[in-house]
Each structure stands twice: as structure tokens, then as C-alpha cells.
Amino acid sequence: MKLYGDLLSPFVRMSMVTALEAGLESRVQLQSAALKPHEVNEALAKLSPLGKIPILETDHGRPLYDSRVIMEYFCHVAGNKALLADDGAKHFRVLTLLALAQGLGDAAVALRYETAARPPTAHWPEYAERLRARIRAALDELEGQWAETLAEVNLGSIATAVALGYLDVRHDALAWRNGRGHLATWYEAFSNRPSMLKTQPKV
Ligand SMILES: N[C@@H](CCC(=O)N[C@@H](CS)C(=O)NCC(=O)O)C(=O)O
């Protein structure tokens, strides 16, 4: 299987971490593909009309996207029921944590585009501030409400660790650890997992 993208993208990295945690390391090859928000990558556009990374090309030659679908697909292929439990209540708790972490990732990527890619003449400070507020709210929720689900390795905890790693790489100034000691301690341990160490992005 080919995973198109770049580990600097939190969505690509969380897909790759899932592949590793599911024991699919030898079956998933990362195909380097980087994007700019204002340009079409023609090769990727042939695989997905959205032209966003990640995209997975399965062994059957079919493209799958987005990251949530890819992460669920890896669990399916590996027959892994630990990363996304079948059991109703737990299943939806993990998916909600995944949505929270992906929402944090979406806001962090959008803030990166606002502050590093958008031309200075087109800056919109109120929108950037709204994104910062959304990131802070998501972090506070993770700090206060999710310890039990974060304590396990599942799709939600993987996405959370990767989103926090992205904040370290792209938004150091947000100092996300301040006032969030539980989350910081949890991240310290999780980021030492082999799946996280092997997927560290090169800036
Ligand atoms: N919902 C998508 C989001 C993917 C996404 O935003 N990818 C970014 C890179 S981090 C991208 O492809 N950006 C290029 C663009 O927006 O044109 C997913 O979970 O895969």
C-alpha cells in the first residue's frame, strides 16, 4: 500500500503511526508528496478531487481518504480491534477523541497557513485569533476530560499525540504545556513509543 504525503502533515503522520501500531510497517510505503494550499498537485488530484494529503492507494489500486478512513482501514486490514474497539460506548468515545484531536489538527494547520503562507497584505487577525482560541479550548478539554481514553493506545490517543507534536513543530509560541501538566506528562510518555519515534517529521 502507498501512503501519499509528508510526515510534517499531522494527518499523514497519524495515519502512519496507526499503520505501525497495527503491525503493518512492512506493507505501507510512504510516497513523498508535499502541498501548497493555493496550488493543485496534479498527481494527487488524479487520486482525490480534494487533492489533500494523506491519500492511501490500497493493494487493490483504489484510493482512500481522508486520514480517519485510512486509520480505520489499517485497523480493518490488520484485524486489529484494540485501536478501535467494537464495543459501542468505547467505540464512540474513541471516535469522539479522534474528532477532537483532528479538529485541533485542522485549526493548527489553518493557523499555519494564516501565519506562514498567507501574503501579509491579506492577513485577517480576527480569524487567526479565533483559530488560537479553538486550539486552546481543545487543549483544555484534552487536559480535563479525556484521561481515561488517552491512557490506552487507540485511534484517538494516536491523533492527540500527533496533533500535540505538530504544535511543538509549528506553533511553539502557543506554549501548549503551560497550565496543562497532565497532558504534558501523558505526551512525554506517548511520544517515546517506537511508532512516534519512527515517524518524527523532518523540518
Ligand atoms: N480532513 C483531512 C485533512 C487533510 C489536510 O488538511 N491535509 C493538509 C496537509 S496537513 C493538506 O493537504 N493541505 C493542502 C490543501 O489544503 O490544499 C484528513 O483528515 O486527511
Side-chain angles (χ1 to χ4, degrees):
M1 294 179 267
K2 289 182 192 156
L3 184 68
Y4 291 88
D6 186 304
L7 292 172
L8 266 172
S9 157
F11 304 102
V12 174
R13 188 179 181 201
M14 65 182 73
S15 301
M16 202 44 144
V17 171
T18 302
L20 269 54
E21 292 288 352
L24 297 174
E25 184 168 3
S26 62
R27 293 186 54 190
V28 180
Q29 283 86 47
L30 185 67
Q31 296 283 313
S32 175
L35 284 173
K36 293 185 179 149
H38 58 294
E39 282 174 15
V40 178
N41 177 323
E42 297 296 347
L44 290 182
K46 290 195 178 90
L47 296 169
S48 157
L50 304 177
K52 287 186 164 193
I53 51 172
I55 302 170
L56 180 77
E57 201 174 337
T58 68
D59 289 341
H60 308 288
R62 269 190 294 274
L64 293 187
Y65 49 87
D66 59 3
S67 59
R68 174 181 159 176
V69 176
I70 295 170
M71 291 163 84
E72 288 202 36
Y73 182 73
F74 286 152
C75 294
H76 167 77
V77 168
N80 184 306
K81 308 259 187 220
L83 293 173
L84 181 60
D86 271 344
D87 162 59
K90 198 167 175 184
H91 179 87
F92 289 106
R93 190 78 180 145
V94 168
L95 286 182
T96 303
L97 179 59
L98 176 59
L100 175 60
Q102 293 200 320
L104 170 59
D106 276 330
V109 168
L111 183 60
R112 170 75 185 168
Y113 291 162
E114 283 296 310
T115 52
R118 190 186 274 274
T121 49
H123 273 185
W124 186 7
E126 292 81 2
Y127 179 54
E129 201 37 52
R130 175 69 191 106
L131 293 172
R132 284 189 195 93
R134 179 172 292 147
I135 291 169
R136 284 194 294 270
L139 289 167
D140 290 343
E141 171 83 5
L142 289 166
E143 168 74 7
Q145 307 300 329
W146 287 91
E148 200 180 317
T149 313
L150 287 173
E152 297 173 349
V153 180
N154 55 51
L155 298 190
S157 56
I158 289 171
T160 300
V162 169
L164 296 175
Y166 182 78
L167 292 182
D168 278 346
V169 173
R170 292 300 198 202
H171 298 296
D172 205 31
L174 290 177
W176 67 264
R177 289 172 180 78
N178 285 356
R180 300 187 189 95
H182 297 301
L183 194 59
T185 303
W186 172 82
Y187 175 71
E188 204 52 45
F190 200 100
S191 59
N192 275 312
R193 296 185 65 77
S195 61
M196 292 290 289
L197 295 172
K198 284 183 188 169
T199 57
Q200 273 176 344
K202 291 181 187 60
V203 186

